[in-house]
Amino acid sequence: MTVIEQPNSQNLHEATFEKLRSLLVEGKIAPGSKLNERELAESLNVSRTPIREAIRRLAAEGLVELIANRGAIAVQLSLADVLNTFDVIADLEGFSGELAANNISDATLSELEALQYEMMASYARRDLSSYYKLNLRIHHLINQAANNPVLSKLFTQVNARIEALRFRSNQDGVKWEKAVEEHQEMLDALKARDSVRMRNIMIQHVRNKRDVVAQLLQSESLSEATKSCTNP
């Protein structure tokens, strides 16, 4: 008798969550847009149940806002919100890097080297989506190497607010190259177990990203203002 394998609902829900998260981070669902459960269910070929669960999880992460009488909205931060969030992330990543340099194992270092190699390959192909996912895995692995669960949880929660902006800001060629160089510096500092250097690199890395994002948002705001003036 042939056994028909039943769909694994847990895997389906997780896959739906990851797909919807990617759509938000990569800007395919624009900030401020309403998340229509029916349309999303149709486009992802799932029922509305995993869509609802994914939206709840994304709201907990800070990527979605649940607004009374409006439903789920892709989060849209003001420039001040963005700058304040980056300032917090800079200190969190600096502390994380410092602890990681003191606590990281040889096995984790080897894993980071492998991820760095993959990320460089994605950079060479200018595959932004793959690059960003690997980049995020590197940052999370460094954070885990700090061996401080409270710090890890706080980092994940705060970073979720600005993930979409971190993704979009890598599209400038010169600034993207600079970010890649900084990642190599991180790896070198970790190998040397130099906690002071690692802390400084991480803080500067985030501050550089903050400045790029601020420039991007200001440019977009100016562009929108110009359009409004030319199309009354």
Side-chain angles (χ1 to χ4, degrees):
M1 182 176 69
T2 302
V3 177
I4 299 175
E5 185 176 346
Q6 295 298 316
N8 186 317
S9 61
Q10 184 177 354
N11 289 345
L12 175 64
H13 284 231
E14 189 64 29
T16 302
F17 167 73
E18 291 295 343
K19 180 60 179 175
L20 191 50
R21 195 177 195 282
S22 292
L23 291 173
L24 289 162
V25 169
E26 296 181 16
K28 293 172 183 175
I29 298 176
S33 298
K34 179 178 172 60
L35 276 65
N36 185 297
E37 289 183 8
R38 180 182 57 79
E39 291 178 358
L40 288 169
E42 289 177 358
S43 66
L44 299 180
N45 195 30
V46 296
S47 72
R48 293 172 71 166
T49 300
I51 294 292
R52 290 193 191 103
E53 181 186 316
I55 288 174
R56 284 196 296 269
R57 289 176 63 183
L58 290 164
E61 282 197 2
L63 285 169
V64 168
E65 288 184 279
L66 300 178
I67 303 175
N69 302 319
R70 288 191 65 195
I73 308 295
V75 71
Q76 186 170 32
L77 302 176
S78 68
L79 178 59
D81 286 333
V82 171
L83 295 178
N84 289 335
T85 303
F86 266 104
D87 285 343
V88 172
I89 283 288
D91 279 340
L92 290 176
E93 292 231 51
F95 186 37
S96 176
E98 178 182 356
L99 292 178
N102 289 327
N103 298 323
I104 196 164
S105 66
D106 289 340
T108 301
L109 264 177
S110 295
E111 187 177 352
L112 277 172
E113 282 192 282
L115 288 172
Q116 175 78 2
Y117 181 83
E118 287 185 61
M119 190 179 76
M120 290 298 295
S122 295
Y123 170 69
R125 297 192 306 269
R126 295 302 188 268
D127 182 349
L128 182 57
S129 181
S130 174
Y131 171 89
Y132 183 76
K133 288 171 183 174
L134 290 162
N135 182 303
L136 189 60
R137 284 175 64 189
I138 287 171
H139 279 270
H140 277 290
L141 192 56
I142 292 171
N143 194 265
Q144 290 168 16
N147 198 26
N148 185 318
V150 176
L151 177 61
S152 293
K153 184 176 181 179
L154 187 57
F155 166 75
T156 300
Q157 290 174 336
V158 177
N159 189 60
R161 290 167 53 87
I162 53 173
E163 270 195 64
L165 291 169
R166 293 183 84 154
F167 175 85
R168 288 169 56 207
S169 65
N170 278 325
Q171 297 179 45
D172 181 290
V174 175
K175 295 182 177 68
W176 192 359
E177 181 180 1
K178 175 63 176 172
V180 169
E181 292 172 356
E182 289 166 353
H183 266 268
Q184 184 58 53
E185 291 174 12
M186 292 176 204
L187 189 57
D188 292 342
L190 286 171
K191 286 180 178 178
R193 266 70 174 187
D194 189 334
S195 60
V196 174
R197 182 185 172 202
M198 185 60 179
R199 180 186 182 93
N200 291 336
I201 291 168
M202 295 295 282
I203 289 174
Q204 192 58 53
H205 180 68
V206 176
R207 286 177 178 169
N208 289 344
K209 179 65 67 175
R210 175 200 62 192
D211 294 344
V212 172
V213 168
Q215 185 178 15
L216 172 68
L217 292 177
Q218 288 165 344
S219 175
E220 290 179 347
S221 178
L222 180 61
S223 177
E224 286 299 318
T226 302
K227 287 180 184 177
S228 298
C229 291
T230 56
N231 299 293

